Amino acid sequence: MAASYNYIGNINSNLGNYEDAIRYYRLTQHICKELDRKKGMGASYYNIGIIHYELNNFEAALESHLTALKLNNETGIKELICASHNYTGKVYAALGNYQEALKYQSQAIIIGQELGDKRRLGIAHTGIGATYHLLGDYKNANDNLVKALLLGREMGEKTIIKDALFTLVEVCKKNGAFEQALEYFTEYHQVQNQISNEAVQKQLTMLNFQHSMEVKEKESALLKEKNEEIQRYLHKLEISNNELKQFAHVAAHDLREPLRMISSYIMLLDQSIGGNLSDTQKKFIGFAIDGSKRMEQLIEDMLRLAKVDTEPKTESIELTSVINEIKLNLETLMKEKGARLEIADELPVIKADRTQMLQLFQNIIGNGIKYNESAEPAIQIKHHVEGSEFSISIADNGIGIPVESREKAFQIFQRVPTAKKYSGSGIGLAICKKIVDSMGGKIWVEDNPGGGTVFHISFNNVLVTQST
Ligand code: ADP
């Protein structure tokens, strides 16, 4: 508490609020007295003495400094004793009692020397120099002030340099050494400027700091606001996404039943009256059966898309075994087209959902064979590992996808005009993208240099171990 009061006193003193400063120093004094803390008491008397001196109340200043000196002597702390001698001397000088002043200030020099404390010694020489100046002893004044100046320069203590120079200018004038006086005066000015520049600089740094704090505070408030907005938006998006998912599922599910009824009854109709129909009528019935079959496929695909889980399982799976299973699934199509599938190197084990990986690669490989007019349709799978990144490419020698349609091909129900003669619903690649997105990966298409398409997929942090 006493230390805090002392600091508050110092702040008030620096602000020129002397009355408040004295009040706080007295509170320090009071506590220190109760605790019998001589050092704290000495400090508050000393500080009060400085204020009285600043207010030209030299008698009161003397009383305070003498008490401070007595208390500091009792502590035996030489630094404090030295400072007290110095200030007491300064007050005696202000009162015109130069002999007493010199007594105290000489003592300050002796203690400063004992301590080897150049800063205190510099202050003491400045003080005694000023007293000699008032006394008219310009030789001693000059000697001491020059010593102070040298000590000040040695330590880069601008206040000591400035104070010593201030009196030195007067001393030189009295000695008739005007050229030297001018030199000292010039230096005094420079130091004074430096001191005030430093003060301005300090103030500027402080203001800059306050400004940047203010800007940061505003920025973080804005960021918080934006963040909350995003959270609200995300919440809304999640709700509408769930609704949409549910709608797609229910709609697809409920459409299945009436559709089955339509196709079953058309087929029954065809069987029962088929013989009595004209060729045109038979063609119409054929169209209706075809249409309902396509619609059935579309509904199946929609259900597949709705089923893709956005939070996939993460089990360790061997990609090579996934591809082998796909080979079996596509056996009929591959035989029909005379297609082959080549894997450059054995594929690694990755953390993923096996069903999703089957869907992903089967859609792409299946498309590569389906959209293919080559005499020998070929699918080539290559992979690459770099750090935690795993990329895989599936190349075909098929009909290719025009550049302008590549992005569209990944959108639901979007088919490329070149694919008109092939059956399909335009959902397969949308499923692939959804799977890759949910794993934080990327999927894109490029031209196969030898003709056809290359699908690239890259994932981060999915590798378990890398097979050789
Ligand atoms: P679907 O095959 O059922 O039409 P997809 O979503 O799998 O739907 O593909 C979207 C479209 O992209 C296809 O209609 C086709 O035009 C084109 N496409 C996909 N893969 C290939 C490929 N390997 N070569 C050429 N075109 C392709």
Side-chain angles (χ1 to χ4, degrees):
M1 261 174 86
S4 299
Y5 281 139
N6 194 49
Y7 280 127
I8 301 172
N10 286 346
I11 293 166
N12 275 302
S13 176
N14 285 335
L15 289 168
N17 301 333
Y18 294 130
E19 264 181 44
D20 286 336
I22 290 180
R23 207 156 47 80
Y24 280 104
Y25 288 139
R26 292 242 187 270
L27 286 168
T28 314
Q29 239 170 51
H30 192 72
I31 298 170
C32 290
K33 199 171 176 185
E34 244 177 60
L35 297 169
D36 196 26
R37 290 288 182 100
K38 302 240 159 51
K39 190 179 151 199
M41 276 169 76
S44 51
Y45 274 108
Y46 182 88
N47 290 331
I48 291 171
I50 292 177
I51 292 176
H52 284 314
Y53 183 92
E54 291 299 321
L55 295 170
N56 291 339
N57 297 332
F58 300 124
E59 293 291 349
L62 185 65
E63 200 187 315
S64 276
H65 278 295
L66 282 172
T67 315
L69 179 58
K70 189 171 156 284
L71 288 159
N72 286 337
N73 270 331
E74 283 172 33
T75 66
I77 302 169
K78 293 217 165 147
E79 283 81 357
L80 301 180
I81 301 169
C82 178
S84 270
H85 272 94
N86 205 31
Y87 229 108
T88 310
K90 193 169 165 177
V91 180
Y92 270 123
L95 286 164
N97 192 344
Y98 302 128
Q99 291 315 319
E100 273 306 291
L102 289 178
K103 219 169 76 187
Y104 283 94
Q105 286 168 324
S106 314
Q107 194 56 31
I109 289 176
I110 292 168
I111 303 170
Q113 279 166 344
E114 274 173 23
L115 284 169
D117 185 332
K118 290 183 180 167
R119 200 178 73 85
R120 287 190 195 279
L121 210 52
I123 295 169
H125 279 298
T126 312
I128 204 167
T131 307
Y132 277 124
H133 169 243
L134 291 170
L135 198 58
D137 182 347
Y138 302 127
K139 161 125 192 19
N140 267 323
N142 191 71
D143 288 353
N144 279 288
L145 291 167
V146 169
K147 272 184 197 159
L149 181 61
L150 293 178
L151 284 164
R153 281 180 185 156
E154 195 183 323
M155 290 175 300
E157 280 273 357
K158 296 202 178 77
T159 319
I160 296 177
I161 301 174
K162 186 199 78 171
D163 289 349
L165 285 167
F166 181 77
T167 321
L168 266 173
V169 172
E170 296 307 312
V171 173
C172 287
K173 278 202 285 192
K174 299 275 169 42
N175 282 335
F178 295 112
E179 209 171 307
Q180 183 69 64
L182 188 65
E183 238 174 70
Y184 283 145
F185 187 67
T186 314
E187 192 183 343
Y188 169 79
H189 240 294
Q190 283 168 353
V191 179
Q192 175 74 311
N193 276 343
Q194 282 171 11
I195 292 174
S196 38
N197 279 347
E198 276 166 20
V200 170
Q201 204 57 48
K202 243 189 214 167
Q203 190 77 12
L204 269 178
T205 317
M206 191 66 192
L207 284 173
N208 260 334
F209 176 70
Q210 279 172 344
H211 176 67
S212 60
M213 285 298 283
E214 235 170 76
V215 171
K216 262 188 205 138
E217 265 168 35
K218 271 188 199 152
E219 276 174 1
S220 69
L222 200 71
L223 213 66
K224 201 174 153 223
E225 207 177 291
K226 289 267 169 243
N227 222 2
E228 282 168 2
E229 210 174 293
I230 291 171
Q231 288 305 326
R232 278 197 299 273
Y233 185 69
L234 269 179
H235 186 63
K236 270 193 207 165
L237 213 62
E238 209 176 321
I239 291 175
S240 69
N241 203 23
N242 279 339
E243 279 173 0
L244 207 65
K245 235 161 116 180
Q246 225 171 340
F247 169 77
H249 186 79
V250 171
H253 217 264
D254 292 354
L255 281 174
R256 243 184 189 169
E257 221 12 72
L259 184 64
R260 254 186 220 142
M261 264 177 75
I262 295 171
S263 51
S264 307
Y265 280 108
I266 290 177
M267 273 192 240
L268 279 176
L269 206 62
D270 186 33
Q271 279 162 16
S272 57
I273 54 164
N276 303 326
L277 292 174
S278 70
D279 283 352
T280 316
Q281 287 167 328
K282 273 186 192 158
K283 224 158 79 186
F284 290 164
I285 288 200
F287 285 154
I289 291 173
D290 246 23
S292 61
K293 269 190 192 153
R294 264 192 288 130
M295 199 162 166
E296 223 169 284
Q297 184 60 45
L298 199 67
I299 290 170
E300 280 309 315
D301 286 346
M302 270 173 72
L303 279 171
R304 272 200 299 144
L305 179 69
K307 258 195 216 150
V308 175
D309 197 350
T310 42
E311 278 169 33
K313 271 189 267 167
T314 46
E315 51 198 341
S316 288
I317 55 162
E318 286 175 14
L319 272 186
T320 306
S321 89
V322 170
I323 303 293
N324 286 337
E325 194 173 329
I326 293 170
K327 255 190 199 167
L328 279 177
N329 295 345
L330 298 177
E331 207 176 5
T332 322
L333 177 70
M334 285 179 77
K335 268 197 186 139
E336 236 172 59
K337 295 262 237 172
R340 65 190 150 80
L341 177 66
E342 294 164 11
I343 309 175
D345 298 299
E346 195 176 326
L347 296 165
V349 178
I350 65 165
K351 280 177 285 175
D353 185 314
R354 197 167 197 282
T355 316
Q356 287 196 353
M357 289 302 101
L358 266 169
Q359 272 182 300
L360 170 65
F361 290 107
Q362 189 159 320
N363 275 334
I364 296 174
I365 295 169
N367 279 348
I369 299 168
K370 182 165 79 172
Y371 298 107
N372 208 315
E373 302 283 315
S374 296
E376 273 183 55
I379 309 291
Q380 279 183 322
I381 299 179
K382 288 183 187 160
H383 79 278
H384 181 71
V385 171
E386 196 163 325
S388 62
E389 194 174 313
F390 165 62
S391 50
I392 184 163
S393 66
I394 303 104
D396 64 55
N397 55 352
I399 60 169
I401 305 178
V403 179
E404 65 279 8
S405 306
R406 286 179 190 167
E407 223 170 284
K408 237 174 105 185
F410 287 101
Q411 290 167 12
I412 188 167
F413 301 136
Q414 294 297 329
R415 305 198 70 220
V416 178
T418 48
K420 271 206 179 104
K421 62 175 185 167
Y422 306 89
S423 66
S425 59
I427 289 180
L429 287 184
I431 292 178
C432 293
K433 186 159 165 46
K434 198 170 171 189
I435 292 172
V436 174
D437 281 352
S438 75
M439 290 172 72
K442 275 189 232 144
I443 180 166
W444 71 101
V445 179
E446 280 176 12
D447 270 331
N448 190 0
T453 313
V454 189
F455 278 84
H456 292 277
I457 302 168
S458 80
F459 293 119
N460 223 338
N461 295 322
V462 295
L463 288 165
V464 174
T465 47
Q466 198 200 335
S467 308
T468 48

